[in-house]
Amino acid sequence: MTTLPTSTDKKLGLVIDLDTCVGCHACVISCKGWNTENYGAPLSDQDPYGAEPSGTFLNRVHSYEIQPEAAPAQLIHFPKSCLHCEDAPCVTVCPTGASYKRVEDGIVLVNEQDCIGCGLCAWACPYGAREMDATEKVMKKCTLCVDRIYNENLPEEDREPACVRTCPAGARHFGDFADPDSNVSKLTAERGGMDLMPEMGTKPVNKYLPPRLKDRDRSQDVDILAPLLDPVATESTGFLGWLDKALENMPGGKT
Amino acid sequence: MHPAPSVILFSTLSGLGFGLLAFLGLGMPAPTGFSAFVWFTLAYLLAVGGLIASTFHLGHPERAMKAFKQWRSSWLSREGICAVVALIVMAIYGAGLVFADTRFTLLGYLGAVLSVGTVFTTAMIYTQIRTVPRWHNLTTPFMFLSLCIAGGALLSGRVSLAIPLLVIAAVAQIAHWVVGDKAFAKSGTTIATATGLGARGDVRAFEPPHTGTNYLLKEFVYVIGRKHATKLRIIALVLMAVVPLVALTLTQTDAVSGVVVHLFAAIAVISHLVGVFAARWLFFAQAEHVVGLYYGKR
């Protein structure tokens, strides 16, 4: 059924901390590894050792530069996977019912036996979270490691998504957003967790924690009391003053 | 968006085919016997040929039957159902004309509504896609429907109807371009909202996730041919509307008579078809998906 559930018992999802992510891509690798060997069709690569390698990934890490108006530029590493939206447009467009959102925990999944590979769900997703596998010709997406989180054959500490388990920086957190006391709900509340493209109306479950404001060296800043102090020399004097004038008087010196 | 030839073929040919079926259903013309057989064969070749072409872009066409299930939420599913029902109803109506010299008038009207309805569902598949602002507005169904009806009038030889309908279709196509050109900016989606980092300063894509390309870039960030877009638009419009309008108008004058009338009508139809092909190619090639923002591309 591709109509969305009106509500889900749990809202499992991720918090991704943009302040902490170091951009090491370990989550990309562990995701590809786990999901190639487990749930559903493997994530294929095309021409992996050749001139034009490409492949299916359920999690990719972008990097962005922010240039604030009056501060140094900042580099933000930005992991992106399925946000398991509450109002998931990828689910409702599916003609076969292969795409669905689970009532029990809100995970958005694809039943690959029913997928006709039309690609419409990937069109509907604003985040690029769905990729058609070029070998299997079915739509692949993040399963929130549904085959890990409930897997009693794994030690308890491994029952979380592979990307969360592997992150060396602790930038990824897994939990239930329906529970206001969960680790992810608290983190979201404390750090101002945000939605990506809220104007798309998808109501993403996954939240992103914005980077904290950076400290910077303020020793060179002009003191607010400066106008009351001795006038600051605006022209250089002494040897530097002489050098400045001498260089300016040379041909091509004046600009 | 990647302009998949199968999808362009499908929407152009079946748009024209269902347009012709609609006019046949309305009894314009209402041939019987062998003549009806020829008319219906042409319409079915276009409509069914387009539908078959559309399955070529599926990863698993052998599972296509499963696509009839989710009509409650999916426009693609609704399109499949509407197309099959329209073709069955029109087949019964056509069989009556061909084999029994009988016109089941009401069945024809129903078939006409379903035929136009099929093109409407096709248009809604694109219109519903919020992530492609160029498509996500009323001009999309208006353009698809007006082209389907004008094409049907042209192909069924309703000259006096085809002339105003072609003008309306041209207006709809231009409206789609004019509204579409501003749609991305109007949607308010930028790299700032995509990353949520806009409040901090200017956001710039610094490094893509991989050095190579991927499915998303190939499917959604198609940039080839955009620089020729204006020229192609003019060519599309001239072929789709201006040439057919001139040809049809000439057939109404004394200057053209006899076999030449049919020649001019054929020119009008072929020119229209080629023009719609070009416009449909642009419909995809110029459409920008918001996911391109994550890659610093539009």
Side-chain angles (χ1 to χ4, degrees):
Chain A
M1 180 65 82
T2 54
T3 41
L4 289 161
T6 44
S7 72
T8 58
D9 301 339
K10 286 181 173 184
K11 286 188 206 169
L12 296 186
L14 303 176
V15 159
I16 294 170
D17 189 344
L18 297 179
D19 194 59
T20 316
C21 177
V22 295
C24 70
H25 290 239
C27 55
V28 178
I29 304 306
S30 64
C31 167
K32 178 111 175 175
W34 178 267
N35 288 294
T36 287
E37 294 161 3
N38 294 281
Y39 181 98
L43 304 173
S44 70
D45 286 315
Q46 282 69 46
D47 195 20
Y49 303 105
E52 285 176 31
S54 69
T56 311
F57 286 81
L58 310 183
N59 177 38
R60 293 179 185 264
V61 179
H62 297 249
S63 296
Y64 298 101
E65 182 195 63
I66 314 178
Q67 180 61 67
E69 220 166 273
Q74 217 180 327
L75 186 59
I76 307 296
H77 300 294
F78 195 97
K80 187 161 57 61
S81 52
C82 173
L83 306 172
H84 297 280
C85 302
E86 281 182 60
D87 203 345
C90 56
V91 170
T92 52
V93 297
C94 177
T96 67
S99 277
Y100 61 105
K101 185 170 175 70
R102 298 187 357 152
V103 181
E104 60 268 38
D105 52 18
I107 299 179
V108 177
L109 286 177
V110 176
N111 173 0
E112 292 172 6
Q113 278 71 49
D114 279 352
C115 176
I116 58 173
C118 68
L120 195 56
C121 55
W123 287 20
C125 173
Y127 310 108
R130 289 173 169 248
E131 300 190 15
M132 180 100 75
D133 189 85
T135 302
E136 296 287 336
K137 311 280 185 200
V138 292
M139 197 52 75
K140 300 295 299 183
K141 70 175 294 301
C142 162
T143 67
L144 214 57
C145 283
V146 70
D147 49 355
R148 286 175 68 96
I149 58 177
Y150 299 116
N151 191 340
E152 291 181 359
N153 295 321
L154 296 176
E156 203 171 338
E157 64 267 30
D158 284 337
R159 289 180 212 160
E160 58 181 11
C163 57
V164 176
R165 184 78 182 94
T166 206
C167 179
R172 305 181 70 110
H173 308 267
F174 165 69
D176 178 13
F177 287 87
D179 172 9
D181 295 323
S182 68
N183 61 333
V184 286
S185 296
K186 283 183 188 162
L187 268 172
T188 306
E190 280 166 24
R191 297 271 309 280
M194 59 188 182
D195 290 347
L196 305 185
M197 290 190 195
E199 71 279 7
M200 284 282 159
T202 54
K203 291 194 254 166
V205 169
N206 284 13
K207 303 289 179 212
Y208 283 75
L209 304 183
R212 294 181 176 94
L213 289 172
K214 292 273 189 264
D215 279 345
R216 60 187 180 87
D217 178 10
R218 296 189 178 273
S219 62
Q220 298 300 309
D221 286 8
V222 176
D223 195 286
I224 52 161
L225 296 175
L228 308 173
L229 303 173
D230 287 337
V232 179
T234 50
E235 279 187 29
S236 42
T237 54
F239 171 71
L240 285 177
W242 169 81
L243 188 63
D244 187 32
K245 283 195 189 97
L247 287 171
E248 266 182 20
N249 289 334
M250 284 173 72
K254 283 242 194 229
T255 50
Chain B
M1 302 293 285
H2 172 69
S6 58
V7 177
I8 296 173
L9 261 176
F10 154 66
S11 86
T12 312
L13 294 183
S14 37
L16 197 60
F18 281 113
L20 178 56
L21 279 177
F23 276 89
L24 288 172
L26 296 175
M28 301 190 289
T32 52
F34 183 71
S35 156
F37 179 75
V38 173
W39 277 111
F40 277 88
T41 306
L42 176 64
Y44 271 81
L45 278 178
L46 289 168
V48 179
L51 283 175
I52 291 171
S54 75
T55 62
F56 290 160
H57 86 288
L58 296 181
H60 284 277
E62 79 280 6
R63 300 176 187 160
M65 292 301 281
K66 295 187 177 192
F68 295 112
K69 278 176 13 197
Q70 299 300 329
W71 51 272
R72 284 182 199 82
S73 73
S74 168
W75 279 105
L76 181 52
S77 192
R78 289 171 196 163
E79 181 199 38
I81 293 166
C82 205
V84 169
V85 176
L87 290 173
I88 292 172
V89 168
M90 286 305 290
I92 300 169
Y93 173 75
L97 289 173
V98 175
F99 302 112
D101 276 0
T102 313
R103 186 170 163 233
F104 307 118
T105 315
L106 274 179
L107 202 61
Y109 288 162
L110 177 66
V113 171
L114 286 165
S115 298
V116 175
T118 303
V119 175
F120 175 69
T121 55
T122 307
M124 286 311 291
I125 293 172
Y126 302 108
T127 311
Q128 68 172 339
I129 301 288
R130 203 168 182 172
T131 52
V132 182
R134 182 180 285 281
W135 295 348
H136 188 61
N137 61 70
L138 278 178
T139 62
T140 305
F142 181 41
M143 180 267 284
F144 269 79
L145 286 175
S146 62
L147 275 170
C148 155
I149 296 168
L154 180 62
L155 203 54
S156 61
R158 308 295 99 184
V159 176
S160 53
L161 274 175
I163 291 175
L165 285 171
L166 277 170
V167 173
I168 293 172
V171 170
Q173 179 64 70
I174 293 168
H176 180 70
W177 287 332
V178 170
V179 172
D181 285 349
K182 295 180 195 132
F184 204 112
K186 222 178 130 195
S187 76
T189 299
T190 60
I191 194 168
T193 67
T195 59
L197 299 169
R200 303 300 177 95
D202 286 335
V203 184
R204 185 172 75 90
F206 185 77
E207 200 174 31
H210 292 83
T211 51
T213 184
N214 62 34
Y215 167 75
L216 301 169
L217 289 170
K218 284 183 226 162
E219 185 75 8
F220 302 124
V221 195
Y222 186 88
V223 291
I224 301 165
R226 279 192 197 160
K227 65 174 176 176
H228 297 304
T230 312
K231 277 182 215 160
L232 273 169
R233 280 182 178 182
I234 294 167
I235 293 169
L237 200 62
V238 168
L239 291 177
M240 158 207 305
V242 179
V243 172
L245 279 172
V246 172
L248 289 185
T249 313
L250 285 174
T251 60
Q252 300 300 85
T253 63
D254 296 337
V256 180
S257 59
V259 191
V260 190
V261 172
H262 291 286
L263 180 71
F264 272 59
I267 290 172
V269 169
I270 292 165
S271 171
H272 175 75
L273 192 60
V274 175
V276 176
F277 266 123
R280 281 297 142 81
W281 187 85
L282 283 168
F283 178 76
F284 290 96
Q286 286 203 293
E288 294 173 289
H289 193 289
V290 293
V291 79
L293 293 168
Y294 285 108
Y295 288 85
K297 291 175 181 171
R298 279 242 342 240

